[in-house]
Amino acid sequence: MNLDPSVDTLLGWIPPEKRDEARQRLQAIVRDQAAALEEANRRLDDARLAALNIMEDAVMARHRLELTQVAFDRSSDAAYWVLEDGGVCYANAAASEATGYSKDELLGLHISDIDEEMTRAGWPKERERIREQKIVSIERRHRRKDGSTFLVEVRINYLEFGETRMFCGFARDITARKLAEENLRASRQRLRSHIENSPMGVIEWDHEWNIVEWNASAERIFGYSRVDALGKNATLLISDPDCESLGKVLSDLSGQRGGNRSTNFNVTADGRTILCDWYNSILTDESGARTGVASMVMDITEANANKTALQKSEARYRLLFENMAAGFAVHEIICDARGRPADYRYLEVNPAFERLTGISAERAVGRTVRELIPDIELSWIDTYGRVALTGESAVVEDYAQALDKFFEVRAFQPAPNQFAVIFSDITERKRTEQAIQRSEAKYRQLFEQSADAFLVIKDGRFADCNQAAVDMLHYPDKAGVLGKQPAELSPPVQADGQSSSEKLAGLIQQMEHQKNLRFDWLHKRADGEIFPVDVSLTSLVDRAGDRILHVAWRDISELRQALNQLQRLSTAIEQSPETIVITDTDGHIQYANPAFERITGYSRQEVMGKSPNVLKSGVHDAAFYAKLWQTIQSGHVWEGRLVNRRKNGEIFTEEASISPVKDRNGNTINYVAIKRDISDELQREESLRQSQKMEAVGQLAGGVAHDFNNILQAILGFSELLLLTLGRDSQEFNNASEIKRSTRRAIELTRQLLAFSRKQPVDTHLLDLNHVVNDAEALISILLGDKYAIALDLAEELPEIFADTGQITQIIMNLALNARDAMPQGGRLAISTERVVFGNRDAAALPDGRAGTFACLSVSDNGCGIGKEIMEKIFEPFFTTKEVGKGTGLGLAVVYGIMKQSKGWINVYSEEGLGSCFKLYFPIPGADGKGAGPDGGRIGERASRILLVEDDESISAMVGEILVNAGYEVVAAATVEQALERYGAANAVYDLLLSDIVLPDGTGIELADRLRAAVPGIPVLLSSGYPDQLARWKDMGPKGYHFLHKPFTVSSLMSAVEKALAKQEQ
Amino acid sequence: MARIVVIDDDQSVRILFERFLVGVGHEVLLAENGRKGLELIQGSDPDLVITDIMMPEMDGLEILMEIRKHKKSLPVIAISGGMRSIPMSFLPQARMFGARYVFEKPVPLDVLRGAINELLAEK
């Protein structure tokens, strides 16, 4: 059997001693193959024998063998036979092709020449590894002849042929595969990256909708982490009601190719419902079996909302576009060759455009403006061109001659080289503006020339003002006012004491809610003068749309003064003690002041609108009133007395002055009556007249008293002498007795006369009240007459009191006369005395009472009593209820005065219709230590101290002696200097300065003046023998200085001292 | 029986008092003014003086003062017919100046006698 010549070559590498064996083995292999072939042929023959068709198999087998041969040699894999030393002993065509070496070239190479990763030194180790493993499959990099390398997958068989060990390797170029693998890996990586980084959620489900893949976006969209999501069912993302749709998705997917898309609502981990866009595709394995679903998902909730909004917005804008009142048009700018705007074309216009311009859309759209308006000003094209080309917006107002309309045009660039205009017909506004401008000019003139001050406040400062405001504030010009804040032109505080700035802040705030505000305010002129203004604030919005305050000031200084004046007048009228009544020309009362109410007893409401006739007393006849009316109606003032009647019927006299009130034109519009109730005055006048009469009588009585008393002394005395010598039974005795009785009456009469006129000498001494009462009884019975019963109830052993007999007699007489008058029809007069002791509690219960032991003299009657209303007045001087001429009004006043003098008091008890009782309490000397006594020159606990200033030593000594004798303490001085010295030195109080007027170093008057400056009110008695000094009396009198004429008797000195001191005590 | 000086500017009163006092057994010396009265007092060493107060030249108070100066123990009864023009409380003043009794004119003779008897009894 022949071997392939190349086999011989192969055998050549085998050591000769082994060559035979190798040959044999190869021959055996070939033999085997030949035997197999033979067997096959035999079997073929057999089969040919058995069945003709087996022949084909035989042919096939041979063919296969051939193929094997060919396969080996023609194998696409490179085949190398490598000897133990690494040398290549066989390589096939594929090896040659793969390496670029020729077959022959290959047969001399060491395996490391081909295997890039193999070194000659490394071969034995590799060789042993292969030997151990028999078959090794490895990936190597082979080197071509040209040095380039390529990846191969080598499969190496270890073969032993006796001593010959060979390695048969089949190397397949895997560069392409590796590349493909690398590509695949990179592709996978990219895909993974895509998936991971996809903005869309990528989710993969198995066929039961369990999550098997979950990318970051899915995590972001649904809020579940990859770990949380994996393995979970799709229901995780859907709300229950939609669950069944999953099956549908799957079935839909199965039935179609390329996947599907759906938009569903899904639920996120935090429970939000979101709208998602799903792209699903079915996953299958190689066999086409369905393994699951891959989904890409996108959260389109927001996008959807935006889309919806956009759609709506588009619709809205379309609607707006169609319905807007403003004209709207979009144009395309047309430029000339040099790129300058030359024309523009209408692209779109809205209905308002058609309406406003009169150009229909049909006519406009597609045409250029030059086509439509050939004589259009180039400035328009320039303006619009700029907008279209630069994107700058433009606002233009202009008048369209052809349309007689004003337009306001806003142009902007909607797209490059385009411009859109929105324009509105502002003809109306323009016309209004022109009208406003005209009216503004007019009002500006009014504003400027108004006499009232007008100002404008803007942003809290005066932004404008007129000349009147400037003048009112006394600034030279507007500049002084403008820019100032209202507070700067105000005093720090307002009339109510509030701070101006605080108050202003409040007012400004108030103006936020109010349109108008009016208030009084104090402002400050440039020269600091404060003046009141009536402020009227109006909130306005100016043309610029800013809020301004319009301020109008009216200087109300004069108005306020007038108001104040009016207020004062009104107050005066209201508070006037005189009745003021204002009537209309018909005599109907329109006003009556409170004095009217007080005096007449009528309220204003009662007389309002009525005639003053209600007051008529009937005293005046009709002629009287006719005269009155005639006077005032002829425009004259009537003055006179009116006897009127009060509401309570009482008659009263008023001194009235009734005058017509005339308006500017001289027409009488009212009458005003000013009346004074002179009833009391008249009564006082009457009383005064009475008292003056009494005074005159008293003066007369006093003047003749001395001589009269001497006469009476003689008559009384001689009648007494007669009575002593005459026989008691003789007629002469009786005659003399009658003379004596008459003399006594004359004495009493004189005393009363003197007492009434208070010319009575006061001789206080201890006396027995009972004696005085007894002595007075006779006179009382004479005074009262037969109709009256006199009852005496005199306490035995009544303690003596310190008083003047004459005064006590006077008290009894006065009270008795009052009692008589209270009982005009006669009655009972009771006089009683008693000793009373009051404790503190008793005393407190008595008006004016005090604790102690007192002698009480009571005089009571059962007459008409004293009304409560006059009880308080009965002791007032000149108060009388008696008819004119019957009483002096002094009776009880004298009683009161005497009781005060006696340091006692009176209590009156009276019941109207039942009678009155006067209780007089006299202190008992020694009983309480406060009894009255002759003080002489004593004041309280000490003697009165007199500063006697007299330069004549003998007179000084005499006067001093008299005064010391009278119980005074006397400090004498001879000069003014000395007097002041003594006064200052003696650390004591002086009660009287008795000084000569003519002194060596000055006058007594000067001295008195200086002393008075130091001791105001010190009594001063000045004496002088110079008649001319009396002329200076005019100056001294008003100062309260007393004067004593020299030479003086002891009596006149004592009298003068007493008088001066008494004045002081008052 | 006592010596009594009566000083009064009113003649009727002087006569009355003289008759009355002589009638009851006294020696009476009369003076129509204060100056003469004082002379009498100084010259006659009376037991009692009855003097008017309001008199020209020298009034009763002065007499009282003088008596007080020189004859402190001499009792004086002052009697006044009241003022002529100016009001004054001359009765208490007379008492202050040392009059033992002060009477207003007209004084009943028995009252006067009571006072005289009392004062003389003291002596």
Side-chain angles (χ1 to χ4, degrees):
Chain A
M1 160 149 212
N2 292 321
L3 289 170
D4 188 285
S6 62
V7 176
D8 288 336
T9 313
L10 185 71
L11 286 173
W13 289 324
I14 299 170
E17 65 270 22
K18 290 286 180 184
R19 259 179 218 159
D20 287 343
E21 190 189 343
R23 189 183 301 273
Q24 285 167 8
R25 285 192 67 171
L26 278 171
Q27 281 174 338
I29 293 170
V30 174
R31 203 167 37 246
D32 286 349
Q33 284 188 337
L37 186 61
E38 276 175 27
E39 177 63 22
N41 284 330
R42 195 182 47 84
R43 283 190 186 168
L44 183 64
D45 289 340
D46 287 348
R48 199 179 282 148
L49 292 172
L52 278 172
N53 60 349
I54 294 176
M55 228 177 93
E56 197 180 347
D57 290 342
V59 174
M60 281 295 286
R62 195 166 49 193
H63 183 62
R64 196 171 297 144
L65 181 65
E66 285 170 358
L67 275 176
T68 305
Q69 288 254 221
V70 173
F72 203 102
D73 202 32
R74 301 280 176 89
S75 164
S76 59
D77 291 345
Y80 303 92
W81 288 82
V82 177
L83 297 175
E84 219 172 0
D85 62 356
V88 176
C89 63
Y90 172 77
N92 66 358
S96 172
E97 195 181 332
T99 60
Y101 293 105
S102 67
K103 273 189 178 180
D104 292 340
E105 283 172 330
L106 280 172
L107 296 179
L109 295 180
H110 187 265
I111 190 64
S112 62
D113 293 332
I114 299 163
D115 190 337
E116 165 108 326
E117 292 159 47
M118 179 69 68
T119 57
R120 279 179 188 269
W123 167 245
K125 195 179 171 190
E126 181 73 13
R127 182 185 67 201
E128 289 314 305
R129 193 172 65 90
I130 299 167
R131 196 200 307 273
E132 277 170 23
Q133 296 182 2
K134 306 283 198 236
I135 297 171
V136 174
S137 187
I138 47 170
E139 274 185 21
R140 311 295 283 201
R141 183 168 287 277
H142 281 186
R143 191 186 301 116
R144 291 196 185 89
K145 187 182 177 185
D146 59 8
S148 64
T149 60
F150 59 99
L151 277 173
V152 287
E153 188 185 59
V154 186
R155 207 177 147 80
I156 305 166
N157 290 278
Y158 173 67
L159 296 171
E160 274 181 25
F161 302 102
E163 288 297 303
T164 302
R165 296 176 178 90
M166 293 188 65
F167 300 88
C168 175
F170 293 91
R172 182 178 292 170
D173 187 340
I174 57 167
T175 305
R177 197 189 82 199
K178 272 283 169 188
L179 196 63
E181 272 177 10
E182 181 59 30
N183 284 347
L184 183 63
R185 196 189 55 76
S187 165
R188 282 218 175 112
Q189 182 58 39
R190 270 201 308 279
L191 188 61
R192 158 96 355 235
S193 174
H194 275 149
I195 289 173
E196 274 310 306
N197 297 316
S198 167
M200 295 181 88
V202 176
I203 304 168
E204 206 178 305
W205 327 82
D206 64 14
H207 61 281
E208 285 177 321
W209 287 107
N210 291 318
I211 298 165
V212 293
E213 186 55 69
W214 184 264
N215 76 343
S217 289
E219 194 172 315
R220 179 175 50 72
I221 293 167
F222 295 104
Y224 295 102
S225 73
R226 185 178 159 83
V227 174
D228 288 343
L230 290 183
K232 299 269 165 46
N233 193 266
T235 49
L236 183 71
L237 308 179
I238 7 182
S239 44
D240 285 341
D242 295 327
C243 265
E244 52 189 292
S245 66
L246 272 176
K248 191 169 172 289
V249 170
L250 208 57
S251 62
D252 283 355
L253 279 172
S254 310
Q256 64 190 84
R257 293 178 61 85
N260 69 356
R261 181 186 161 189
S262 65
T263 304
N264 299 98
F265 284 104
N266 293 93
V267 185
T268 64
D270 55 11
R272 278 183 302 120
T273 297
I274 55 173
L275 186 66
C276 296
D277 230 359
W278 292 91
Y279 300 86
N280 305 307
S281 54
I282 205 91
L283 289 175
T284 55
D285 61 8
E286 290 93 3
S287 66
R290 219 168 50 200
T291 58
V293 177
S295 300
M296 305 241 279
V297 61
M298 206 155 78
D299 179 356
I300 56 159
T301 314
E302 208 170 303
N304 189 61
N306 287 341
K307 201 171 112 191
T308 313
L310 191 66
Q311 281 168 350
K312 279 185 187 166
S313 156
E314 251 176 43
R316 240 184 352 248
Y317 282 112
R318 175 53 58 183
L319 199 66
L320 184 68
F321 177 79
E322 295 294 341
N323 292 295
M324 65 198 282
F328 184 80
V330 183
H331 316 76
E332 174 186 50
I333 201 78
I334 300 165
C335 296
D336 62 13
R338 284 185 292 174
R340 283 200 312 226
D343 198 354
Y344 56 80
R345 190 187 311 283
Y346 291 88
L347 298 179
E348 193 172 7
V349 299
N350 74 340
F353 172 95
E354 299 179 289
R355 199 168 57 246
L356 290 169
T357 61
I359 303 169
S360 72
E362 278 180 344
R363 232 182 100 206
V365 174
R367 289 212 170 73
T368 71
V369 71
R370 281 178 184 269
E371 284 165 4
L372 285 173
I373 312 165
D375 55 352
I376 185 168
E377 294 92 340
L378 286 174
S379 64
W380 284 111
I381 296 170
D382 283 346
T383 305
Y384 292 143
R386 198 158 49 244
V387 173
L389 297 176
T390 66
E392 263 176 45
S393 298
V395 181
V396 188
E397 263 181 29
D398 212 345
Y399 175 66
Q401 186 86 45
L403 299 165
D404 186 27
K405 279 179 178 173
F406 287 96
F407 287 109
E408 185 194 66
V409 186
R410 285 168 189 273
F412 59 95
Q413 184 197 45
N417 297 323
Q418 288 189 1
F419 69 91
V421 295
I422 300 175
F423 60 98
S424 44
D425 182 354
I426 53 163
T427 311
E428 196 68 21
R429 196 190 85 198
K430 274 282 175 189
R431 301 258 147 86
T432 310
E433 270 177 9
Q434 284 169 350
I436 286 172
Q437 275 166 6
R438 278 195 301 275
S439 118
E440 261 186 2
K442 200 162 73 193
Y443 281 107
R444 183 80 214 169
Q445 204 174 2
L446 272 178
F447 177 86
E448 285 297 341
Q449 295 176 1
S450 169
D452 282 347
F454 290 134
L455 302 98
V456 173
I457 298 176
K458 190 169 177 179
D459 301 329
R461 292 177 186 276
F462 289 113
D464 198 0
C465 71
N466 65 356
Q467 191 55 39
V470 172
D471 294 345
M472 198 178 279
L473 288 164
H474 291 187
Y475 277 96
D477 50 36
K478 283 187 186 183
V481 179
L482 301 188
K484 285 214 164 59
Q485 291 178 324
E488 291 177 75
L489 297 177
S490 309
V493 287
Q494 288 298 306
D496 58 3
Q498 245 188 299
S499 131
S500 291
S501 45
E502 273 175 33
K503 223 178 158 183
L504 270 167
L507 288 166
I508 299 289
Q509 203 174 3
Q510 223 178 321
M511 282 305 288
E512 310 248 318
H513 320 288
Q514 257 171 285
K515 191 109 184 75
N516 297 298
L517 202 59
R518 198 168 166 176
F519 52 90
D520 285 356
W521 192 257
L522 291 181
H523 268 297
K524 190 175 71 181
R525 301 193 211 276
D527 47 20
E529 189 194 338
I530 312 292
F531 66 105
V533 284
D534 168 52
V535 181
S536 182
L537 279 188
T538 309
S539 180
L540 297 170
V541 174
D542 68 5
R543 293 181 65 190
D546 294 322
R547 207 171 71 90
I548 57 165
L549 288 178
H550 183 264
V551 188
W553 285 348
R554 187 161 290 182
D555 188 340
I556 52 169
S557 313
E558 284 179 20
L559 180 67
R560 175 142 325 158
Q561 275 171 12
L563 271 176
N564 285 344
Q565 179 78 7
L566 202 61
Q567 183 69 39
R568 272 198 295 276
L569 285 175
S570 155
T571 308
I573 288 174
E574 283 283 311
Q575 295 182 356
S576 166
E578 304 196 348
T579 301
I580 296 168
V581 177
I582 299 172
T583 70
D584 59 17
T585 47
D586 294 329
H588 297 123
I589 296 174
Q590 291 183 323
Y591 170 82
N593 71 346
F596 172 89
E597 298 182 310
R598 197 173 59 244
I599 289 165
T600 65
Y602 289 103
S603 73
R604 289 193 235 197
Q605 287 75 19
E606 283 176 295
V607 296
M608 213 50 77
K610 300 214 176 98
S611 156
N613 283 350
V614 291
L615 300 175
K616 274 188 180 176
S617 62
V619 169
H620 308 294
D621 56 14
F624 175 87
Y625 294 109
K627 182 90 192 293
L628 190 160
W629 275 105
Q630 194 190 338
T631 309
I632 59 174
Q633 278 171 348
S634 61
H636 296 106
V637 179
W638 183 90
E639 280 177 337
R641 282 187 182 180
L642 285 168
V643 178
N644 281 335
R645 189 187 297 277
R646 300 189 217 270
K647 193 181 180 186
N648 65 6
E650 210 175 283
I651 302 291
F652 67 108
T653 308
E654 289 184 303
E655 203 156 67
S657 165
I658 305 173
S659 8
V661 178
K662 292 174 182 174
D663 66 9
R664 284 183 183 184
N665 303 323
N667 300 317
T668 298
I669 49 169
N670 289 105
Y671 294 112
V672 59
I674 302 170
K675 300 187 281 186
R676 192 159 58 91
D677 182 357
I678 55 165
S679 305
D680 288 349
E681 217 172 289
L682 289 175
Q683 197 171 2
R684 271 199 295 278
E685 270 177 25
E686 189 57 35
S687 300
L688 188 64
R689 220 171 24 246
Q690 282 291 321
S691 75
Q692 280 171 340
K693 198 162 72 187
M694 293 307 294
E695 180 76 19
V697 172
Q699 287 283 358
L700 185 66
V704 300
H706 183 86
D707 295 321
F708 201 66
N709 282 336
N710 276 334
I711 295 164
L712 286 173
Q713 179 72 72
I715 299 169
L716 179 69
F718 284 114
S719 64
E720 281 183 309
L721 286 180
L722 273 177
L723 287 168
L724 284 173
T725 54
L726 290 170
R728 281 193 173 264
D729 299 331
S730 68
Q731 185 58 39
E732 288 78 7
F733 183 89
N734 291 337
N735 292 347
S737 292
E738 212 44 55
I739 294 170
K740 188 185 172 186
R741 201 181 343 269
S742 297
T743 311
R744 279 196 179 279
R745 283 175 58 195
I747 292 164
E748 278 312 320
L749 205 57
T750 313
R751 287 203 168 170
Q752 285 295 328
L753 204 58
L754 287 169
F756 273 127
S757 59
R758 295 212 288 172
K759 299 295 180 194
Q760 187 183 32
V762 178
D763 179 18
T764 50
H765 53 273
L766 282 172
L767 57 84
D768 185 342
L769 260 181
N770 290 347
H771 285 170
V772 185
V773 174
N774 277 324
D775 287 349
E777 189 199 352
L779 191 62
I780 294 167
S781 61
I782 294 165
L783 282 169
L784 265 55
D786 299 339
K787 291 188 286 182
Y788 299 87
I790 300 168
L792 297 186
D793 178 14
L794 306 178
E796 286 177 19
E797 294 180 13
L798 188 69
E800 288 185 315
I801 61 166
F802 224 101
D804 181 291
T805 311
Q807 285 186 335
I808 302 301
T809 308
Q810 189 179 350
I811 286 173
I812 297 168
M813 296 308 299
N814 291 353
L815 292 175
L817 289 170
N818 278 350
R820 182 195 65 184
D821 295 335
M823 304 181 288
Q825 309 303 320
R828 182 173 174 274
L829 173 74
I831 302 174
S832 64
T833 58
E834 61 179 323
R835 176 178 174 274
V836 292
V837 179
F838 290 131
N840 285 328
R841 198 177 295 171
D842 304 319
L846 296 170
D848 300 328
R850 62 176 191 269
T853 307
F854 302 90
C856 175
L857 170 67
S858 307
V859 179
S860 51
D861 64 63
N862 56 353
C864 61
I866 302 163
K868 275 183 185 152
E869 67 281 3
I870 60 165
M871 183 63 94
E872 282 177 15
K873 292 183 174 181
I874 59 173
F875 293 113
E876 283 177 18
F878 303 116
F879 175 82
T880 181
T881 57
K882 295 171 190 173
E883 287 168 40
V884 176
K886 277 207 170 175
T888 60
L890 289 168
L892 285 177
V894 168
V895 172
Y896 181 82
I898 291 171
M899 288 313 293
K900 280 267 169 199
Q901 224 175 323
S902 308
K903 296 185 169 65
W905 78 92
I906 315 171
N907 291 143
V908 185
Y909 306 89
S910 184
E911 198 81 30
E912 249 179 310
L914 291 178
S916 307
C917 175
F918 287 76
K919 280 184 178 291
L920 295 85
Y921 297 96
F922 297 89
I924 290 165
D928 57 1
K930 287 182 182 169
D935 283 338
R938 302 195 73 79
I939 288 177
E941 294 303 310
R942 63 170 181 83
S944 297
R945 190 176 288 119
I946 298 172
L947 179 58
L948 171 64
V949 190
E950 173 61 67
D951 56 335
D952 185 317
E953 274 180 38
S954 60
I955 295 176
S956 176
M958 184 198 77
V959 173
E961 191 184 351
I962 295 169
L963 293 173
V964 167
N965 269 303
Y968 294 102
E969 195 182 316
V970 178
V971 175
T975 62
V976 173
E977 188 83 5
Q978 214 172 45
L980 291 171
E981 202 177 285
R982 296 274 151 86
Y983 185 86
N987 193 16
V989 178
Y990 283 86
D991 301 296
L992 176 72
L993 168 69
L994 170 52
S995 174
D996 192 10
I997 287 181
V998 183
L999 293 168
D1001 59 344
T1003 69
I1005 299 167
E1006 286 166 19
L1007 172 63
D1009 289 346
R1010 288 172 69 177
L1011 259 188
R1012 271 278 172 98
V1015 192
I1018 185 171
V1020 173
L1021 177 57
L1022 299 167
S1023 71
S1024 176
Y1026 298 101
D1028 64 319
Q1029 292 296 347
L1030 263 177
R1032 303 178 70 166
W1033 182 241
K1034 278 180 187 142
D1035 302 331
M1036 294 187 283
K1039 292 179 184 170
Y1041 297 167
H1042 297 268
F1043 185 77
L1044 175 64
H1045 205 287
K1046 275 185 181 174
F1048 45 78
T1049 64
V1050 176
S1051 296
S1052 58
L1053 170 67
M1054 290 311 298
S1055 176
V1057 167
E1058 212 170 65
K1059 205 170 144 190
L1061 283 169
K1063 277 277 179 190
Q1064 160 72 358
E1065 279 169 24
Q1066 281 170 14
Chain B
M1 153 79 180
R3 181 177 297 155
I4 298 172
V5 172
V6 173
I7 311 165
D8 202 308
D9 59 342
D10 191 292
Q11 197 189 3
S12 300
V13 175
R14 282 201 305 273
I15 295 168
L16 172 72
F17 285 170
E18 186 187 18
R19 300 243 173 109
F20 166 63
L21 292 171
V22 167
V24 293
H26 295 300
E27 182 190 346
V28 177
L29 301 170
L30 296 173
E32 71 269 24
N33 62 43
R35 189 179 44 77
K36 283 187 180 169
L38 270 184
E39 280 169 15
L40 278 178
I41 292 166
Q42 276 156 6
S44 63
D45 189 24
D47 300 302
L48 182 78
V49 176
I50 297 172
T51 179
D52 189 10
I53 296 173
M54 299 294 286
M55 288 178 297
E57 284 194 54
M58 181 185 267
D59 65 26
L61 295 182
E62 209 171 333
I63 293 164
L64 277 165
M65 218 165 72
E66 286 301 314
I67 291 171
R68 213 163 163 186
K69 228 188 281 179
H70 304 292
K71 292 180 182 288
K72 224 172 180 173
S73 58
L74 178 58
V76 181
I77 294 171
I79 304 173
S80 174
M83 74 251 115
R84 282 207 159 77
S85 55
I86 49 169
M88 64 172 289
S89 50
F90 51 84
L91 295 175
Q93 277 179 13
R95 211 174 280 120
M96 271 189 284
F97 276 77
R100 296 294 301 279
Y101 271 99
V102 178
F103 295 115
E104 232 177 302
K105 282 182 185 172
V107 56
L109 293 179
D110 50 347
V111 172
L112 184 63
R113 186 167 57 199
I116 291 168
N117 289 347
E118 189 191 318
L119 291 176
L120 289 175
E122 281 178 10
K123 287 201 99 178

